[in-house]
Amino acid sequence: MTEDAEARAARLRAQSEEGAATADRRQNAREWADKQVAAVRGTARSEHGDVTATVDHSGLLLRLELSPLTKQAKQDDLAHAITAVVRQATADARNQVREVYVRLRNEGVIKALPPFLLPAPEVGAVTLALPVRGNSPSRRAGDHAEEGPPDSWLKEEPW
């Protein structure tokens, strides 16, 4: 082999090895991302903590916690609060998944974010109207209602 042919062969081997190493790094990064995404949990809570929702990376509801005070809520109000809290939890999960893919893009593993990973829409705070919180017409101005249930109430199993 001539010097030029040997140098060219060495250059091609080096390029091939570099390409294989890059492919391995990308595969490892994708496996890391899959694990990160699978572990994502989105959680949200209503303003006073009466409704708490946890969803997985895809937005599937995993857990819904309701404080005993929610028994006093109107059905429509409770349904609205639950829906809004689940939407917040889903937005939280979606943003976490998006961050995993943003890291991959920033590190050059992928060229662009998948189109389904648009930022989650903003979801406002959720307040559940309960009579004990001052929404009852019979409440006097000097009365002070408790601001919310203790955290320990939220750890009980939903009724």
Side-chain angles (χ1 to χ4, degrees):
M1 244 193 222
T2 65
E3 182 67 33
D4 288 338
E6 289 177 17
R8 185 172 179 210
R11 191 176 65 248
L12 290 174
R13 272 193 304 278
Q15 287 174 343
S16 176
E17 290 170 2
E18 184 180 324
T22 299
D24 284 346
R25 283 193 301 275
R26 285 186 175 164
Q27 181 62 33
N28 290 339
R30 285 188 197 105
E31 289 171 3
W32 169 85
D34 289 343
K35 288 177 186 174
Q36 294 296 308
V37 167
V40 164
R41 296 294 179 264
T43 301
R45 171 179 287 190
S46 63
E47 186 176 329
H48 296 288
D50 297 312
V51 178
T52 302
T54 302
V55 301
D56 71 3
H57 67 279
S58 68
L60 180 68
L61 184 63
L62 299 174
R63 184 164 177 82
L64 179 65
E65 299 175 38
L66 304 173
S67 81
L69 294 176
T70 59
K71 291 179 184 179
Q72 299 172 16
K74 294 178 184 173
Q75 281 186 344
D76 287 348
D77 292 342
L78 182 57
H80 171 74
I82 290 171
T83 302
V85 168
V86 170
R87 287 185 69 204
Q88 285 179 334
T90 302
D92 178 40
R94 183 174 182 171
N95 286 333
Q96 290 179 57
V97 170
R98 190 172 196 279
E99 282 303 310
V100 170
Y101 283 94
V102 165
R103 280 187 69 181
L104 291 181
R105 184 195 61 202
N106 292 347
E107 293 173 12
V109 176
I110 59 175
K111 292 181 182 179
L113 296 178
F116 62 86
L117 280 178
L118 296 172
E122 289 294 321
V123 183
V126 179
T127 303
L128 181 60
L130 294 170
V132 260
R133 295 242 165 69
N135 297 319
S136 171
S138 63
R139 185 167 177 251
R140 294 186 306 237
D143 293 344
H144 295 287
E146 191 175 312
E147 284 301 311
D151 285 344
S152 62
W153 289 5
L154 298 176
K155 291 176 179 47
E156 295 176 359
E157 290 298 317
W159 29 269

